[in-house]
């Protein structure tokens, strides 16, 4: 009997071993190795420099009909190929030339689907490709990540899936994350050997993912269900908020014969990688637009943060034509390309085909054009979604340049598709789109490059409402949220305070940290449509600061991080044409850094510096402007006050 049991056990083991297949793919530089096992399920792991960083991951999908993905699947064939090409983004938010080099493992299964893995020098990614051309529902997607013991996370914890996805990053051990706690993307994991940033891209016709804890070293995916019914809320926010009253028992409807989103993992033992990486862009669907010459990045004079508080004028400021002519004059005088008309320009927040009787919108648009300034209109998503074509076509006849869409607050399949409907219609009409109140960038900005910015970040506007936007937060988001793509943080606050002096004021907001900290954001933060959040009247009083800010571009040819540690500090250099720009920021700790300028070419350069003043530690608005002559052999010592910053504009000195 014992002999028979032993024989049976060995037979089962042999069958299991013969059934299990292992595949491997390495990054071009051989530092990252991804190992895939196909057995009863599909699992994989990743090493960096032979150190385990992702211990085990599970991938699969369940459908209402037909074969599920990753469940006792049989491999038909597999291939490994090398790829290398150059991408030139229409809107280069980081680099105007991207080297897209990777090795791809493609596994085809007998049940008519494919699983693609890609290994890059800065990470890995995978996606399922469905070859079944059939209408069916996606019940769930299996996604779990198991990390080595002791792994921690920068966890952007959510209270609900109905969310703007504007969170702070909580430093939590994975074992401390309860099974009912979850976060939005992107999310960063810190192992003893490296960090892993996880997000998604090429998100089309599919719900956005969230990550939940399990009270151990594993995290799992959860998704919003397919929304069957959503009704207006019965409170004062009925114009912009909904109550989801009926959901399906599945997450998406699909017609099959399609590719699903890329699951993206940026992996490095150097924090600088997470800022420099273009991986989410590289994996996005290429642009579908043939003519993109009308897409113009630039800076924006913004009204809502400063509550239209202009002063020293001979008219009553507020939501009226005179105030916005003042904004337009300010933009024109300072080379600012755009003015946003935020909440209040419409007859009501739901009657968005007509305008506030105190504001002559066509007259303002024409006035702006005469001054060389274009206007962008803020709209709520709900009324826009209800009458998309007529509203956008009307705005186009008025002559606006773009829209800022707010309060989406959802990640379900309908909402993801709504983003694309808006992007597509706006592209047809040659309108820019700034998605505010949104989830993180997920690839649409490459497919429709008129989608020029996203919020999905706890940004400067929170100064009006809470104390969460600290210098520590400000030097965390470049490494995590910005890895997903540009972010509409809305910098430029001119009232700056240290922690002990800061208070929340909706009508007269202030920022935490120094003036130089705010100015540095214009180099550090990627935003092709970049705001100047404060009052034009205040900028006029601080013309020297304004002149420095307006010299800084909003798109870049080259990006290199000089120094950086998540949540502590960052120093970044960016090139546009033949000029270099440096931005550095620190948390509440004062910081001394040495910056190596070896990225410069041969020759002599003028460095114009905007830095914390000698009294910035006591008075946050104290700053100094300094000029130096430097070259590629220069090493610059910079000093930042608590919550401080440092910026430089480097121009070549022409030989006489």
């Amino acid at each position: 009997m014992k002999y028979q049991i032993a024989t049976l056990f060995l037979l089962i083991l042999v069958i299991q071993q013969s059934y299990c297949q292992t595949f491997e793919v390495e990054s071009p530089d051989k530092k990252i190795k991804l190992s895939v096992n196909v057995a009863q399920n599909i699992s994989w792991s990743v090493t960096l420099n032979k150190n385990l960083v992702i211990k085990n991951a599970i991938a699969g999908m369940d459908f209402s009909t037909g074969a599920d993905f990753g469940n006792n699947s049989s491999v038909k064939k597999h291939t490994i190929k090398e790829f290398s090409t150059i991408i030139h983004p229409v809107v280069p938010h980081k680099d105007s030339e991207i080297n897209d080099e990777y090795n791809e493992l493609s596994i085809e299964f007998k049940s008519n689907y494919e699983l693609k893995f890609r290994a890059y020098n800065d990470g890995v990614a995978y996606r399922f490709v469905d070859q079944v051309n059939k209408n069916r529902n996606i019940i769930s997607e299996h996604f779990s990540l198991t990390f080595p013991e002791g792994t921690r996370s920068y966890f952007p914890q959510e209270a609900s899936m109905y969310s703007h996805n504007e969170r702070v990053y909580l430093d939590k051990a994975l074992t401390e994350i309860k099974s009912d706690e979850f976060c939005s993307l992107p999310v960063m994991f810190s192992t003893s050997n490296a960090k892993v940033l996880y997000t998604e891209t090429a998100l089309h016709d599919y719900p956005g993912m969230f990550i939940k804890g399990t009270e151990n070293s594993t995290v799992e995916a959860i998704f919003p269900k397919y929304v069957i019914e959503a009704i207006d809320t019965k409170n004062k926010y009925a114009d912009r908020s909904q109550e989801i009253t009926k959901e399906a028992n599945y997450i998406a409807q699909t017609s099959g014969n399609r590719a699903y989103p890329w699951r993206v993992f940026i992996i490095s033992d150097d924090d600088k990688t997470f800022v420099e990486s273009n991986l989410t862009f590289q994996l996005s669907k290429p642009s579908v637009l043939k003519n993109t010459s009308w897409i113009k990045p630039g800076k924006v004079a913004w009204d809502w943060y400063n509550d239209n508080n202009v002063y020293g004028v001979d008219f009553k400021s507020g939501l009226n034509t005179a105030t916005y002519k003042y904004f337009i004059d300010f933009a024109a005088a300072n080379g600012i390309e755009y003015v946003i008309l935020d909440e209040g320009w419409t007859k009501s927040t739901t009657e968005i085909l007509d305008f506030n009787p105190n504001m002559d919108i066509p007259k303002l648009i024409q006035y702006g054009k005469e001054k060389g300034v274009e206007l962008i209109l803020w709209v709520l998503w709900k009324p826009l979604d209800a009458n998309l074509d007529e509203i956008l076509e009307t705005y186009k006849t008025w002559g606006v340049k773009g829209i800022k869409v707010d309060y989406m607050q959802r990640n379900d399949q309908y909402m993801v598709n709504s983003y694309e409907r808006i992007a597509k219609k706006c592209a047809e009409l040659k309108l820019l789109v700034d998605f505010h109140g949104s989830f993180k960038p997920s690839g649409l900005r490459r497919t429709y490059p008129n989608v020029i910015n996203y919020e999905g970040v706890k940004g400067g506007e929170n100064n009006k409402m809470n104390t969460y936007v600290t210098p520590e937060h400000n030097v965390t988001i470049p490494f995590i949220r910005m890895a997903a793509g540009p972010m509409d943080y809305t910098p430029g606050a001119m009232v700056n305070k240290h922690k002990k002096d800061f208070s929340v004021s909706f009508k007269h907001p202030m920022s935490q940290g120094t003036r130089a900290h705010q100015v540095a954001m214009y180099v550090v933060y990627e935003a092709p449509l970049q705001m100047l959040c404060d009052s034009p009247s205040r900028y006029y009083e601080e013309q020297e600061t304004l002149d420095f800010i307006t010299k800084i571009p909003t798109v870049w040819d080259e990006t290199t991080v000089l120094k950086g540690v998540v949540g502590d500090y960052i120093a970044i250099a960016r090139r546009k044409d033949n000029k270099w720009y440096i931005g550095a920021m620190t948390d509440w700790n004062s910081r001394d850094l040495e910056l190596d300028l070896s990225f410069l070419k041969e020759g002599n350069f003028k460095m114009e510096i905007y830095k914390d003043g000698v009294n910035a530690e006591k008075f946050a608005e104290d700053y100094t402007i300094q000029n130096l002559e430097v070259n590629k052999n220069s090493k610059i010592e910079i000093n930042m006050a608590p919550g401080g910053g440092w910026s430089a504009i480097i121009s070549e000195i022409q030989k006489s």
Side-chain angles (χ1 to χ4, degrees), residues 150-193:
T151 295
R152 303 186 66 84
S153 174
Y154 293 89
F155 199 71
Q157 189 163 320
E158 296 280 356
S160 167
M161 289 191 195
Y162 192 83
S163 170
H164 294 294
N165 299 158
E166 300 174 21
R167 317 307 293 177
V168 294
Y169 293 88
L170 305 177
D171 183 4
K172 303 180 75 167
L174 293 193
T175 52
E176 296 173 350
I177 303 173
K178 298 176 181 177
S179 57
D180 61 350
E181 294 179 338
F182 63 95
C183 74
S184 48
L185 302 181
V187 56
M188 179 177 278
F189 303 97
S190 182
T191 76
S192 60
N193 295 313

Side-chain angles (χ1 to χ4, degrees), residues 443-457:
L444 193 60
R445 71 190 188 283
R446 183 178 179 192
T447 312
Y448 289 94
N450 60 310
V451 176
I452 202 164
N453 213 354
Y454 276 77
E455 192 183 21
V457 63

Side-chain angles (χ1 to χ4, degrees), residues 604-608 627-630 649-653:
N604 294 318
F605 296 82
K606 173 189 173 183
M607 175 183 273
E608 183 181 0
N627 290 288
L628 296 178
E629 186 171 322
V630 298
I649 301 172
I650 307 175
S651 309
E652 187 173 8
I653 298 173

Side-chain angles (χ1 to χ4, degrees), residues 295-558:
I295 299 173
K296 304 292 185 184
K299 292 191 177 66
V300 187
W302 183 39
D303 54 351
W304 187 83
Y305 179 87
N306 56 74
D307 202 36
N308 298 92
N309 278 320
V310 302
Y311 48 86
V313 295
D314 58 0
F315 57 86
K316 285 281 189 180
S317 64
L319 293 166
N320 55 52
T321 298
T323 297
Y324 283 97
K325 288 182 72 174
Y326 184 82
F327 268 85
I328 291 168
D329 289 342
F330 162 74
N334 291 281
I336 297 167
E337 292 86 350
Y338 300 103
V339 170
I340 275 186
L341 276 61
D342 213 290
E343 184 169 2
W345 73 266
T346 52
K347 185 176 181 180
S348 73
T349 53
T350 56
E351 298 171 289
I352 62 176
L353 278 170
D354 202 355
F355 36 87
N356 184 327
N358 295 319
M359 297 175 64
D360 188 333
I361 301 303
K363 181 178 179 180
L364 284 170
I365 292 169
Q366 182 57 38
Y367 185 76
K369 289 184 182 299
E370 292 170 359
K371 297 276 187 172
V373 177
E374 299 281 2
L375 268 59
I376 295 171
L377 301 180
W378 175 92
V379 293
L380 286 173
W381 172 79
K382 276 181 57 183
L384 177 66
D385 181 65
N387 191 15
L388 182 69
D389 287 358
E390 183 183 3
I391 290 168
L392 293 179
E393 287 166 5
T394 300
Y395 292 174
K396 180 64 177 179
T397 64
W398 291 351
V400 302
K401 184 62 177 179
I403 59 170
K404 174 182 176 180
V405 191
D406 208 348
Y407 282 90
M408 281 74 82
Q409 304 179 103
R410 287 164 44 186
N411 283 254
D412 57 88
Q413 186 181 25
Y414 181 89
M415 183 58 73
V416 171
N417 287 341
S418 179
Y419 277 62
E420 193 149 355
R421 285 193 297 272
I422 292 168
K424 182 179 180 181
K425 184 64 179 180
C426 283
E428 291 172 4
L429 298 171
K430 296 184 178 179
L431 295 175
L432 302 178
V433 184
D434 176 10
F435 282 121
H436 213 65
S438 65
F439 53 70
K440 80 287 176 191
S442 301
L444 193 60
R445 71 190 188 283
R446 183 178 179 192
T447 312
Y448 289 94
N450 60 310
V451 176
I452 202 164
N453 213 354
Y454 276 77
E455 192 183 21
V457 63
K458 189 171 283 295
E461 68 182 36
N462 282 267
N463 293 323
K464 294 165 69 80
M465 297 164 283
N466 56 58
T467 62
Y468 294 131
V469 181
T470 65
E472 182 179 9
H473 172 77
N474 294 339
V475 293
T476 299
I477 55 178
F479 299 91
I480 303 177
R481 164 57 184 82
M482 205 166 73
M487 54 188 194
D488 196 11
Y489 177 97
T490 65
M494 301 295 279
V495 181
N496 319 111
K497 302 293 181 182
H498 286 298
K499 187 187 304 185
K500 64 183 177 62
D501 302 317
F502 179 83
S503 63
V504 173
S505 173
F506 191 86
K507 291 187 176 295
H508 300 281
M510 60 194 74
S511 70
Q512 297 185 64
T514 70
R515 170 70 56 75
H517 187 85
Q518 284 286 312
V519 171
M521 292 177 182
Y522 286 91
V523 179
V524 175
Y525 292 168
E526 292 159 11
L529 198 66
Q530 183 64 282
M531 305 292 161
L532 284 89
C533 71
D534 226 317
S535 168
S537 301
R538 185 60 195 263
Y539 286 125
Y540 278 132
E541 293 177 347
E542 304 273 1
Q543 190 67 45
E544 190 175 50
T545 295
L546 178 63
D547 289 345
F548 192 92
I549 291 172
T550 55
K551 291 176 186 176
I552 301 171
T554 65
V555 289
W556 308 99
D557 293 322
E558 187 177 350

